[in-house]
Amino acid sequence: MPTGQRNDPYRGFNFRLEIDGLTVAAFSEASGLIAEGDPVDYREGADMVNSVRKLSGLRKYQNIILKRGYTQNNELWAWYRNIANGTPDRRDGSVVLMDEAHQDVLRWNFRNAWLNKVEGPHLNATGNEVAMESIELCHEGVDIDV
């Protein structure tokens, strides 16, 4: 006997990347969507309780790491070249999770991102794997839209 409509969790393989000014959107992996804070211990001398208070401290955001199969599209390398040459080129973007019908369900928005690292493919003449590249985005904040 059915108990109601199923509410399955979303799968982690339907996602895309949106970055201002770039058409590159297909990646095979995305990680680093982490926001955390440093707790600050504080105690006043007149506090009756003999323990510290936990206050909210500075927020920190890990770098976002993206991996994809290597293609002839060089937009990421051009963006990296701007940064490496000292041109300030910060962009906003989103990692968008989609359901099985490819409808947007969650969106992690990041601000003021810049390309810190581009890693070319690992090549092996005896293998048959896809040549993968990896990028690392530094940013100044991430939040989630449901």
Side-chain angles (χ1 to χ4, degrees):
M1 185 165 156
T3 59
Q5 184 177 1
R6 284 177 55 146
N7 191 10
D8 292 337
Y10 300 115
R11 309 288 176 101
F13 57 82
N14 283 330
F15 67 93
R16 72 177 186 279
L17 178 74
E18 297 175 353
I19 298 179
D20 291 344
L22 292 181
T23 60
V24 178
F27 287 85
S28 60
E29 291 183 44
S31 61
L33 298 169
I34 298 172
E36 62 182 322
D38 288 329
V40 177
D41 292 346
Y42 177 76
R43 183 176 184 281
E44 290 182 0
D47 283 348
M48 296 302 292
V49 179
N50 194 18
S51 64
V52 296
R53 299 181 204 176
K54 295 288 186 179
L55 304 177
S56 176
L58 292 175
R59 305 305 302 165
K60 297 186 296 186
Y61 306 97
Q62 287 194 4
N63 295 344
I64 297 172
I65 299 172
L66 302 158
K67 296 180 181 181
R68 70 175 184 155
Y70 203 81
T71 66
Q72 292 183 351
N73 184 310
N74 65 357
E75 287 180 302
L76 294 173
W77 286 96
W79 186 18
Y80 178 76
R81 197 172 311 112
N82 283 346
I83 300 299
N85 290 335
T87 304
D89 191 357
R90 293 179 178 244
R91 303 176 186 195
D92 296 336
S94 301
V95 176
V96 183
L97 180 65
M98 299 176 289
D99 61 15
E100 283 77 12
H102 293 282
Q103 302 297 316
D104 296 355
V105 291
L106 294 171
R107 178 181 292 268
W108 289 267
N109 301 311
F110 52 87
R111 300 180 302 277
N112 294 323
W114 53 279
L115 200 51
N116 184 49
K117 179 180 176 182
V118 177
E119 184 177 336
H122 299 278
L123 304 174
N124 182 347
T126 62
N128 64 352
E129 296 84 16
V130 171
M132 300 289 288
E133 70 177 335
S134 174
I135 65 169
E136 181 178 279
L137 294 174
C138 293
H139 58 94
E140 295 178 354
V142 64
D143 55 43
I144 190 168
D145 286 343
V146 180

